Amino acid sequence: MLMNDPSRHQQFLREFTCHEPAVRAFVRRLVPSRSDADDILQEVSIVLWEKFDSFRAEEDFRAWACGIARYKVLSWLRDKGREKLVLASDVVELIADDSLAAESHLKQQREALETCFEKIPMTERNLLSQAYQADVKIQEVAAASGRSVAGFYQWLYRMRRMLLECIQRQHAQDSW
């Protein structure tokens, strides 16, 4: 396949876009802060693009990207080794192994959540999304919903409970 094949670039971008949240979550589990994870993810993105020639659409992009992320985290740890709040590299290796092992289960949970979320009426879905935005003031979302803050938290609790039960039903169906 040619390097300048536009369909190959599109496939790479589709795979990257699809798996970027999982790779970000993987990195986030291994480093102490969100900003550290953002910096590492930028480095991972650069390496992925530099290794475009070795990209194979038929292979597991997520595993490939997480492997690169794992080495970037270890490199970051080595650079930050003098700081007291950094985990030892062998501990990070254990966490990385556990995270990769749990990845398929987490993927199933994300897919079930997406399916269950789509079943909620649009107005309630929008309120849920607003409630989980960064820097949101829950009082404003509650007021927009026409509920008191206490009433909004009760509604939020019921919605989370309903989503959890829906996810559990989906897992039970998938187990058959």
Side-chain angles (χ1 to χ4, degrees):
M1 191 172 286
L2 297 174
M3 168 88 171
N4 60 2
D5 181 357
S7 66
R8 191 161 176 251
H9 285 114
Q10 290 172 355
Q11 181 65 32
F12 179 89
L13 288 174
R14 266 190 231 109
E15 293 288 333
F16 180 79
T17 303
C18 176
H19 296 290
E20 189 269 346
V23 176
R24 177 179 298 277
F26 175 74
V27 171
R28 184 66 184 96
R29 287 190 293 266
L30 301 176
V31 297
S33 77
R34 188 178 305 270
S35 70
D36 292 334
D38 289 343
D39 292 345
I40 292 168
L41 191 63
Q42 281 183 340
E43 294 297 320
V44 170
S45 301
I46 291 168
V47 172
L48 287 171
W49 187 246
E50 289 172 347
K51 292 184 175 282
F52 177 78
D53 286 341
S54 60
F55 166 67
R56 303 287 175 264
E58 65 278 2
E59 294 179 4
D60 187 347
F61 188 91
R62 183 181 299 199
W64 181 50
C66 284
I68 290 170
R70 178 187 202 138
Y71 287 110
K72 279 295 174 188
V73 168
L74 290 172
S75 173
W76 179 85
L77 282 171
R78 188 180 56 244
D79 294 345
K80 298 282 184 181
R82 293 188 192 117
E83 296 179 17
K84 292 180 179 178
L85 297 177
V86 175
L87 296 173
S89 61
D90 57 337
V91 173
V92 171
E93 289 275 359
L94 288 172
I95 294 171
D97 288 341
D98 286 350
S99 293
L100 289 175
E103 185 57 33
S104 75
H105 179 68
L106 293 172
K107 181 182 176 195
Q108 288 175 336
Q109 286 183 328
R110 281 191 295 271
E111 290 170 353
L113 176 60
E114 287 175 18
T115 300
C116 292
F117 193 71
E118 292 295 320
K119 293 178 181 176
I120 297 173
M122 184 61 84
T123 53
E124 293 179 331
R125 218 180 314 164
N126 287 339
L127 279 174
L128 271 171
S129 295
Q130 289 174 19
Y132 288 100
Q133 294 291 317
D135 301 326
V136 70
K137 293 187 178 178
I138 207 73
Q139 296 86 353
E140 293 175 9
V141 180
S145 74
R147 295 175 177 92
S148 67
V149 172
F152 187 75
Y153 276 118
Q154 288 176 350
W155 174 82
L156 208 51
Y157 172 79
R158 286 192 302 270
M159 295 302 290
R160 287 191 301 242
R161 181 109 186 127
M162 184 183 74
L163 284 170
L164 176 64
E165 290 170 0
C166 177
I167 291 168
Q168 289 171 337
R169 278 192 305 273
Q170 285 222 244
H171 281 296
Q173 289 174 351
D174 293 342
S175 298
W176 287 95

